[in-house]
Amino acid sequence: GNPDVIKHNLVQQIYHQVPWVATINNFAMAGIGRVLELGPGKVLCGFNKRINPDMQAQHVNDQDSLQAALV
């Protein structure tokens, strides 16, 4: 809730790398077998498939794809 902390964190998020490979590997070690990418693009699904081909990556960008993901 502190505006100064929020501002600092937003700046840090913009200027620093996202440890995506480590994140997906940690998901796999935790037993997570499926991830969802929400939004208009499919970039992260492609990254995820290259990082861990055994993990299912599913793209959700509209009501139909959301319904399919919930099955």
Side-chain angles (χ1 to χ4, degrees):
N2 182 327
D4 291 330
V5 171
I6 293 170
K7 182 178 176 181
H8 172 78
N9 289 344
L10 287 172
V11 170
Q12 295 302 309
Q13 184 177 13
I14 291 170
Y15 287 105
H16 290 85
Q17 285 183 325
V18 174
W20 198 253
V21 173
T23 299
I24 296 303
N25 288 332
N26 286 335
F27 284 174
M29 286 189 297
I32 296 171
R34 181 173 85 152
V35 293
L36 302 177
E37 179 175 2
L38 307 176
K42 297 181 182 181
V43 172
L44 296 178
C45 283
F47 287 162
N48 294 348
K49 287 177 186 177
R50 286 193 297 270
I51 295 167
N52 187 332
D54 296 327
M55 183 178 292
Q56 181 184 2
Q58 191 168 355
H59 179 243
V60 175
N61 69 335
D62 58 19
Q63 188 68 29
D64 291 336
S65 59
L66 175 60
Q67 290 301 318
L70 295 175
V71 175

